[in-house]
Amino acid sequence: MSSNRIVKLAVVVMLVSVLATTCIALPSSSGSSSLTPDGGVYEYKTEGISAETYMATITGYTEGHEDFLTIQTGIEGYPVKAIGPDAFRNSNSLKAVVIPEKVNSIGDYAFADCSSLEAAYFIGEMPSMGKGVFDNTASGFTIYCLNEVWSGYNDYKTAVWSPYEYSDSTGGRYSYYILNDEITIFRYISGENISIPSFIENNGKRYPVVSIGPESFYKCSVKTVSIADGIERIEDRAFSWEHDNGSPLSSVIFPDTLVSIGDEAFRNCKSLMSVDLPKSLRYIGFEAFRDSSLTSIYIPNSVNYVGGGAFYCCYDLKSVRLSQSMIEIPERMFGYCELLTSIVIPDRITSVGASAFYKTGLKSLDLNEVKTIEREAFYGCTNLKFIDADEVRVINNEAFYGCTSLKSIDFDEIGSIGYRSFGKCTSLDYVVFSESLRNLDEDSFRGCTSLSGAYFEGPMPVIGDNAFKNADNDFKVHYLKYYSASWSGFNAYNSAVWDGSSPSSNSGIDNSLMILIAAIAVTVVLVVSIAILFKKKKGRSP
């Protein structure tokens, strides 16, 4: 389905093309914004109906701290193929930009009036160029074309730029380029074991290596990687693999200087079972470790941003520790992590994103200070039995749909419960709603076949159609006498006044029946005892 979404996303990490998925795809959120280490923000729109036609167009840019900018190569799986009119206009802090390989169109005045812009480096072939793309840039502005100049192009000054080659201490070979007196690793050449140094000498001068560039080791036969101190960035899809058997990469040693890991940087690294993330790390990008074989992950407290789907489809993931600096759990972060049975949610986290724990193995859940739960956040968590949701205010559509082991829930601050939020929670005995509840959407508890009672501590909220349809045959709505007036017209389900005492669990046998069974059992024991005693007396000799 085509979409024309205008969304915001932070600038450091990049994607190059849409990867075919190895597990069922879940929708990404739209209209979101996020900060990256450089603080820049893109606006963009996406379109396309298949992997072959997907594309993103960058339509705007808010400057961050980066004056030498590598424009990201993709956004949420959509390859960046176009830069729209005026997209970077008046970005006066920019001194140089690197244009992604797949960009085939740059709109009118896209970089016009960037008064400090001295150079644009193109990794791909010459795109279609609109009017005045680089007008009113810095004196001497030059377009650098990879390996050869563009034939017949004369709108702006052009020159050739070519990467250099390097052989490391373990036999790995790769190319690199120098920009702003800093080295970015560019492309893999050969070798199974890679050791990336802190410095590389070129023409008698030592240059620091600061970045492992986009797709630099993409789908390469690398087994081990050692990254020296000094390197700050691993860019998008740097070590990722296509969707088939996965990368042979089994070992990565990160430097203590690493600040960011880009989008899909280690996606589909199926041989990668463990990583030790450094305390310098601040940013983990979109789907950075998706489809890897990690069994545990410790996210250091220095990390304040994690992109959507960062550990999505990590089927072997059993143990997780989250950063104390995180304020949200992003969409799809642990979706399909079936072996993940428990997690501690830090105090600062107030939001759980869409499908964040989709079909995980969670057994119990303390939501701590979480206020908002987005759609499908815990969808299909069939082992989940207990939830502490004291601070939750908003639960969105299908958040706990199909949690078939869930027994009971108490809400202290809940205000709104969305469509099918607890649909088909077939073990749910009862639910207690706090006085703050104002909206219970349609089908919110539909198909909860064991649900015997809904207890309301406040006035009647807006209750949508079929909110409790197909509940237990004896299902009742209970409300406090103090609020009887607000419930006077309610007739959707059987109802009764509630004294405020704690509801009892429905095990299929009500209290009166339990008392009757107990009484019968006591009677039987007494009768048997008397019979035995009488028989003994009768059998004695005179």
Side-chain angles (χ1 to χ4, degrees):
M1 181 184 300
S2 296
S3 64
N4 281 310
R5 300 180 298 160
I6 301 236
V7 291
K8 291 184 178 179
L9 190 73
V11 167
V12 154
V13 244
M14 300 102 59
L15 298 167
V16 126
S17 63
V18 176
L19 293 176
T21 57
T22 57
C23 55
I24 298 172
L26 296 173
S28 296
S29 65
S30 62
S32 62
S33 62
S34 57
L35 293 176
T36 57
D38 75 355
V41 179
Y42 290 122
E43 292 182 2
Y44 65 92
K45 64 180 181 180
T46 60
E47 57 189 277
I49 59 174
S50 65
E52 292 73 26
T53 59
Y54 287 152
M55 66 172 288
T57 299
I58 295 174
T59 60
Y61 173 68
T62 301
E63 292 179 83
H65 310 301
E66 186 68 68
D67 51 3
F68 290 80
L69 175 66
T70 299
I71 295 174
Q72 70 181 62
T73 58
I75 298 172
E76 292 190 355
Y78 292 86
V80 173
K81 294 184 178 181
I83 298 172
D86 303 305
F88 292 84
R89 192 167 190 168
N90 293 312
S91 297
N92 292 316
S93 67
L94 291 182
K95 294 182 178 179
V97 293
V98 179
I99 309 294
E101 182 177 6
K102 290 186 180 294
V103 170
N104 55 34
S105 173
I106 301 179
D108 296 347
Y109 308 107
F111 295 89
D113 302 311
C114 294
S115 58
S116 301
L117 189 62
E118 300 170 352
Y121 294 82
F122 284 78
I123 294 178
E125 297 179 355
M126 184 178 73
S128 169
M129 303 271 268
K131 295 183 296 185
V133 172
F134 295 103
D135 279 4
N136 300 321
T137 50
S139 176
F141 170 80
T142 303
I143 289 176
Y144 288 89
C145 315
L146 185 64
N147 294 328
E148 61 182 9
V149 295
W150 297 337
S151 176
Y153 181 80
N154 56 15
D155 287 2
Y156 303 95
K157 178 183 176 182
T158 59
V160 173
W161 72 294
S162 298
Y164 305 94
E165 291 188 8
Y166 179 77
S167 296
D168 66 27
S169 59
T170 54
R173 293 182 65 233
Y174 36 87
S175 62
Y176 66 92
Y177 62 83
I178 302 171
L179 183 61
N180 193 30
D181 284 337
E182 295 176 335
I183 285 177
T184 294
I185 304 301
F186 183 56
R187 289 288 184 267
Y188 167 83
I189 298 173
S190 64
E192 292 184 345
N193 303 300
I194 300 295
S195 180
I196 299 175
S198 298
F199 294 88
I200 293 177
E201 186 171 321
N202 185 296
N203 292 326
K205 182 177 179 179
R206 296 178 79 227
Y207 294 92
V209 181
V210 297
S211 175
I212 300 174
E215 293 194 312
S216 48
F217 295 92
Y218 172 70
K219 204 171 183 181
C220 296
S221 56
V222 175
K223 293 183 177 179
T224 68
V225 175
S226 177
I227 305 171
D229 284 348
I231 295 169
E232 299 176 353
R233 301 185 301 275
I234 298 175
E235 305 286 6
D236 64 292
R237 299 182 79 187
F239 295 95
S240 70
W241 195 271
E242 281 292 357
H243 58 85
D244 46 18
N245 295 327
S247 166
L249 182 65
S250 61
S251 173
V252 179
I253 298 175
F254 293 119
D256 290 335
T257 53
L258 188 65
V259 172
S260 65
I261 297 176
D263 293 1
E264 296 187 308
F266 294 93
R267 178 173 174 169
N268 211 24
C269 290
K270 293 188 181 299
S271 297
L272 190 62
M273 300 178 66
S274 65
V275 291
D276 185 6
L277 300 179
K279 294 179 180 179
S280 57
L281 189 65
R282 297 200 301 264
Y283 186 97
I284 298 174
F286 174 83
E287 297 188 350
F289 292 94
R290 174 179 173 166
D291 289 304
S292 69
S293 295
L294 296 177
T295 58
S296 64
I297 190 69
Y298 172 90
I299 302 176
N301 291 337
S302 56
V303 173
N304 54 33
Y305 178 86
V306 180
F311 302 95
Y312 186 55
C313 296
C314 290
Y315 298 111
D316 298 314
L317 191 63
K318 297 179 181 179
S319 175
V320 170
R321 181 174 175 182
L322 298 176
S323 165
Q324 297 292 324
S325 300
M326 292 171 61
I327 60 172
E328 67 173 357
I329 296 175
E331 58 174 355
R332 301 182 300 119
M333 184 172 181
F334 298 107
Y336 289 105
C337 294
E338 299 166 349
L339 299 183
L340 184 62
T341 59
S342 65
I343 192 166
V344 175
I345 298 180
D347 292 346
R348 294 190 65 197
I349 290 177
T350 59
S351 175
V352 178
S355 306
F357 293 92
Y358 191 98
K359 293 191 176 181
T360 60
L362 290 177
K363 294 181 178 180
S364 63
L365 184 64
D366 184 350
L367 288 165
N368 209 344
E369 298 297 319
V370 169
K371 305 294 190 294
T372 303
I373 300 174
E374 299 294 353
R375 59 178 173 78
E376 299 182 345
F378 299 93
Y379 186 108
C381 293
T382 56
N383 295 323
L384 185 61
K385 293 182 179 180
F386 305 104
I387 302 172
D388 184 343
D390 288 350
E391 299 298 323
V392 174
R393 268 72 163 173
V394 177
I395 298 177
N396 284 300
N397 297 352
E398 299 187 322
F400 293 92
Y401 185 88
C403 293
T404 53
S405 298
L406 189 62
K407 296 289 289 182
S408 63
I409 319 165
D410 290 345
F411 298 107
D412 287 353
E413 304 289 342
I414 193 68
S416 176
I417 296 178
Y419 169 73
R420 298 209 311 176
S421 287
F422 293 90
K424 293 193 175 180
C425 291
T426 53
S427 296
L428 192 61
D429 287 331
Y430 65 87
V431 60
V432 180
F433 300 109
S434 61
E435 188 176 359
S436 55
L437 182 66
R438 294 294 179 265
N439 182 71
L440 195 62
D441 215 341
E442 61 180 306
D443 295 332
S444 48
F445 288 83
R446 183 170 184 163
C448 296
T449 53
S450 299
L451 188 65
S452 61
Y455 296 79
F456 292 82
E457 295 178 341
M460 187 177 78
V462 175
I463 299 178
D465 293 342
N466 302 316
F468 299 102
K469 188 171 183 177
N470 298 330
D472 184 85
N473 291 334
D474 296 323
F475 173 79
K476 280 186 180 179
V477 167
H478 302 262
Y479 55 86
L480 295 175
K481 184 177 181 180
Y482 181 81
Y483 293 106
S484 293
S486 73
W487 289 90
S488 60
F490 179 76
N491 58 12
Y493 303 95
N494 292 330
S495 60
V497 174
W498 172 42
D499 63 6
S501 60
S502 295
S504 58
S505 176
N506 171 30
S507 61
I509 303 176
D510 63 24
N511 288 339
S512 58
L513 184 58
M514 289 294 292
I515 293 170
L516 178 62
I517 291 172
I520 293 173
V522 170
T523 302
V524 170
V525 170
L526 287 173
V527 170
V528 171
S529 298
I530 291 170
I532 292 172
L533 181 62
F534 178 78
K535 185 176 180 180
K536 286 182 178 180
K537 286 183 178 180
K538 188 175 180 180
R540 288 177 183 168
S541 301

